[in-house]
Amino acid sequence: MRLLPLVSACLLCFAAAQAATAAPAPSTPATRLDHILLWGRGIDQVTSVMAVKLGFQVRPGRDPDGVANRYIRFSDTSFIELLGITRPNPTFDPGMKEDQQALKGGPGSRTFGFRSSSLDAIHQSLQALHYAVTPFFSGPDSAKPGWRLFAFDRAPLSSNTFFIDYAAGYAPDQFDPANADDYRVTREHPNGARELSSIWLVSGDADADRRQLEKMGYGHAVPVKLAAVGAKGFCVPIGPTALLTLQPDGAGLAQQTMANGGPRILGVSFGVTDLERAQRWVERGYEHKLTSYRGLSGASILAPTQDDLGLSIEFHAMQASDSPCSATNL
């Protein structure tokens, strides 16, 4: 089932984050980054880029109101939700309209989700911190619950976000979530991608996002630089994943992104089983030779996806680490 209509409705009237007030930080032991909402110029365009040029397996979604969605799911239970307009004058909910206005109808992403099995505790803690959290929403229907979420009436971060959890076995891209073979096969990608390791936010003030995350209970930030995109900021561990809060650091993709569209998701990083295989796939797809570099997660390549997707896609070799922001990765 599509998550976007209720997610987007939850994201009404996002504005600058509220000033911090003294209150206990929420406990977040079970939280991780879950997925991003990625708009294409059209659903077939973004599907083609992800499948043909980048080597992901794209799963079907739905198209009830002129905005279609599709899924790319990973072995670590994270995913990407692809979105595209399929007819003139589609029915936008307020969140969709806000995204489209900010993206100027182009490709890109400005919304992502945290996943936690402790939604009630986090919701209560954020209320105690005076964050403008919404009530809970759930779906796909009361007879067969699949997900439960809350968002914010005013954005605490430079990109929109929400907190979500799923009922046992729920998988929106499968007719039979109990089928173990389907579960395994739909998470195997030709490029070898297996995990979402980090989401990169870009704004004019990386420390403002860091402070908000610390207030929300996500501390232990580590200063980082991403020379590949001309950015600097902080790596904030979110369970086994990392949220990077970045700002431009000289000329580069980060500066271009801010100049062309303002704060948004600058990039997403994925762990792959074979980096050379992923590199060959991207080089064939883009007819462009790539140079590997040492990124925050070790040996990495950056696919030239800004024009196609409005964000960067990084692939890195999978590696064991106690923390996604540990000093050994920097």
Side-chain angles (χ1 to χ4, degrees):
M1 298 292 292
R2 288 179 56 200
L3 300 184
L4 183 63
L6 283 179
V7 170
S8 299
C10 293
L11 301 175
L12 280 165
C13 303
F14 272 77
Q18 291 179 300
T21 56
S27 175
T28 56
T31 305
R32 59 160 292 145
L33 298 176
D34 187 61
H35 72 284
I36 67 168
L37 307 181
L38 175 58
W39 288 87
R41 292 187 177 90
I43 194 63
D44 291 333
Q45 177 265 347
V46 70
T47 297
S48 176
V49 171
M50 299 304 281
V52 178
K53 290 187 175 182
L54 296 175
F56 291 107
Q57 180 184 179
V58 182
R59 304 295 297 170
R62 295 175 179 266
D63 181 9
D65 299 306
V67 179
N69 71 338
R70 292 174 184 168
Y71 297 94
I72 300 171
R73 305 191 70 83
F74 300 99
S75 300
D76 69 347
T77 71
S78 66
F79 64 98
I80 304 172
E81 185 172 358
L82 306 179
L83 302 166
I85 298 169
T86 58
R87 63 171 171 81
N89 302 314
T91 301
F92 286 137
D93 65 37
M96 291 179 184
K97 185 176 181 180
E98 184 185 352
D99 271 359
Q100 284 295 293
Q101 289 175 340
L103 295 170
K104 301 176 182 177
S109 179
R110 60 190 303 276
T111 300
F112 71 99
F114 296 87
R115 184 168 83 247
S116 177
S117 59
S118 305
L119 288 189
D120 291 291
I122 294 174
H123 191 267
Q124 292 170 9
S125 295
L126 292 173
Q127 281 185 317
L129 290 163
H130 303 288
Y131 283 102
V133 292
T134 69
F136 284 97
F137 296 81
S138 62
D141 57 64
S142 59
K144 187 179 180 182
W147 49 265
R148 186 169 174 250
L149 69 84
F150 71 86
F152 298 85
D153 288 325
R154 291 187 294 276
L157 303 174
S158 58
S159 283
N160 298 339
T161 192
F162 54 92
F163 285 80
I164 192 166
D165 195 21
Y166 303 95
Y170 175 72
D173 63 335
Q174 296 173 202
F175 292 106
D176 181 9
N179 188 316
D181 288 337
D182 280 357
Y183 185 95
R184 175 182 55 80
V185 170
T186 58
R187 287 152 177 79
E188 294 180 353
H189 300 279
N191 60 21
R194 293 293 181 268
E195 64 181 15
L196 166 68
S197 52
S198 63
I199 295 173
W200 312 351
L201 309 183
V202 66
S203 72
D205 188 350
D207 193 53
D209 278 344
R210 180 201 64 77
R211 292 194 304 270
Q212 286 294 330
L213 287 164
E214 184 174 43
K215 178 187 172 186
M216 294 164 68
Y218 306 102
H220 310 289
V222 176
V224 295
K225 283 194 174 186
L226 273 66
V229 294
K232 65 180 179 180
F234 302 91
C235 178
V236 181
I238 312 290
T241 56
L243 187 59
L244 307 186
T245 69
L246 304 171
Q247 65 188 50
D249 184 28
L253 286 175
Q255 185 181 76
Q256 295 170 22
T257 298
M258 287 294 295
N260 293 334
R264 63 188 59 205
I265 295 175
L266 175 66
V268 189
S269 187
F270 299 99
V272 298
T273 55
D274 186 335
L275 185 60
E276 291 184 359
R277 178 183 179 185
Q279 181 170 347
R280 288 195 302 271
W281 193 289
V282 176
E283 287 178 341
R284 288 197 299 267
Y286 278 92
E287 299 182 349
H288 178 79
K289 188 69 175 176
L290 301 178
T291 301
S292 62
Y293 59 92
R294 182 167 182 81
L296 302 188
S297 297
S300 307
I301 59 167
L302 194 69
T305 56
Q306 275 289 335
D307 288 342
D308 285 335
L309 301 178
L311 52 68
S312 293
I313 299 287
E314 182 188 68
F315 296 108
H316 64 83
M318 293 177 64
Q319 61 180 25
S321 174
D322 294 334
S323 168
C325 300
S326 64
T328 57
N329 291 348
L330 306 181

